[in-house]
Amino acid sequence: MAESTSRQPDTVRSIVYALGANLAIAVCKALGAVFTGSGALLAETFHSLADTGNECLLLLGRRQAKAPASTHHPLGHGRATYFWSFVVALLLFVLGGVLSIYEGIHKLREPAPLVDPWVAVAIVAFAMLAEGISLRMALKQIDKVRRDLTLWRWFRETRRSELIIVLGEDIAALAGLSLALAALAATIAMDNAVYDAVGSIAVGVLLMIVASGLAIEIKSLLIGESAPPGLRREIRAFIKEQPGIVDIDNLITMQQGDELVIVVQARMDAHASAAELARTIADCKAAIRGAFPSAAWIFIEPTVARREERPLREARSRARTG
């Protein structure tokens, strides 16, 4: 059922893999930038350093999200993942985008020839390979919950902020490396360092665009979003089929990291006793938790079924038992 099945993505594994790849890439880029003097490579160093710090923040967010509920935070700390994901988007914008543009402008004002630019090309090629492997790992985890949705539709509907960030970073990294490689190739072909400086600015603009898109998506999660549409439909249909439930007046879902809050106003038999209502509610909660393991908080408010609905409900009950 949607993202509630046992076929869950290993989000931590994706983050750790991206962390290791970005750290190795950042070191190689930094050494290459110092050796060759390439502004585009230095811009990509800023990018990889930002990504490395970002992965650490995502792991911190997941750790904080597991803190138990308290009087001050009665529904737990699940949204901590959204907060740190939003911080990651801001850091990508500032450390990756702004610093890259600054470096490019500096190189335009004070151009300097590159030293052994083919070293920079080799480093960029290695970085593209590592980022490609990291992207493949992220897509593999995303495919576990994407089902028949396109990648863009999944990006707009998913509530998994860490996978959003890892995917966005990997795509931005490959696109940025492609720009850096093109800038280096133009610099070598034209023997003009201006192209390298323009490549640095282009990388910065790209990172700012990607970071802005990520921030918009995470902001919506931070404010509070319901479960994905498909999962919400499955929850509604499942509850309506539970014994003792005539219909659903209102269904509210709220995603909090890996946890889900479900609030239901359900019509029940007006002739049922208080004990029967309590038993129906308890059974319904147990069934929901069994079908949707991410449902950490379930609240069911009974309302009285209208008279004309009772024969229909009785017929449905007989059909299930007979």
Side-chain angles (χ1 to χ4, degrees), residues 11-67:
T11 305
V12 173
R13 183 180 181 185
S14 297
I15 297 173
V16 171
Y17 199 94
L19 172 61
N22 283 319
L23 182 58
I25 292 170
V27 172
C28 290
K29 287 178 181 177
L31 294 175
V34 171
F35 179 76
T36 63
S38 170
L41 200 55
L42 184 59
E44 276 299 312
T45 301
F46 292 145
H47 180 189
S48 293
L49 287 174
D51 285 351
T52 301
N54 291 345
E55 261 75 66
C56 293
L57 292 178
L58 293 178
L59 291 174
L60 174 63
R62 288 197 65 83
R63 180 178 179 182
Q64 291 184 348
K66 293 179 180 179

Side-chain angles (χ1 to χ4, degrees), residues 243-244 268-284 302:
M268 299 183 180
D269 190 352
H271 296 296
S273 65
E276 290 172 334
L277 287 176
R279 185 165 55 252
T280 297
I281 292 173
D283 292 344
C284 187

